[in-house]
Amino acid sequence: VYKRQQMALLKSVKKVKATKIQVIGYAQPSAPQADIALSLDRAIEVRKAVSKLVPKANFITRGAGPKSQPLCAKYKNKCVVVTITQG
C-alpha cells in the first residue's frame, strides 16, 4: 500500500508547477533525539524523490520527531506529510 501511495503522490507532484514544497517527517515515540533524527531522515528521502520531479521548487524539510500528526495516526505516526504551495 505504501509504495502505491508514494507513486500516486509522485505522479501528481510532477504535474504541479510548485513554488514551495514543505516536507515534514514524523516518528513513533521512542527516544526523543532518535525520533527527531529518524523523522528528518524520512523527510529527506521523500524530498529527494520529489525534487527529481520538481527540481526548481523551494523545499522546506524538517523532522517533527514524535509530535502527533492526525494524518499519520493510522500508521502509528510513521509518515511524511507533503504540503505543496503553487505560485
Side-chain angles (χ1 to χ4, degrees):
V1 174
Y2 171 74
K3 290 290 182 186
R4 192 172 348 126
Q5 292 170 339
Q6 184 180 28
M7 292 310 298
L9 170 67
L10 292 176
K11 286 178 183 176
S12 67
V13 168
K14 191 173 184 175
K15 297 175 185 175
V16 172
K17 293 182 181 177
T19 56
K20 183 171 94 172
I21 300 177
Q22 182 173 311
V23 184
I24 303 175
Y26 295 89
Q28 182 178 20
S30 61
Q33 290 299 63
D35 294 341
I36 292 194
L38 176 59
S39 64
L40 180 59
D41 288 346
R42 283 188 177 132
I44 289 170
E45 288 304 311
V46 170
R47 182 194 70 208
K48 285 178 186 177
V50 174
S51 68
K52 290 177 183 175
L53 299 171
V54 191
K56 294 183 180 181
N58 293 315
F59 284 87
I60 298 170
T61 307
R62 67 182 179 90
K67 180 180 175 187
S68 180
Q69 170 49 262
L71 295 172
C72 301
K74 181 178 177 180
Y75 305 102
K76 299 181 182 177
N77 218 45
K78 301 175 186 176
C79 74
V80 174
V81 175
V82 178
T83 307
I84 301 168
T85 305
Q86 289 182 274

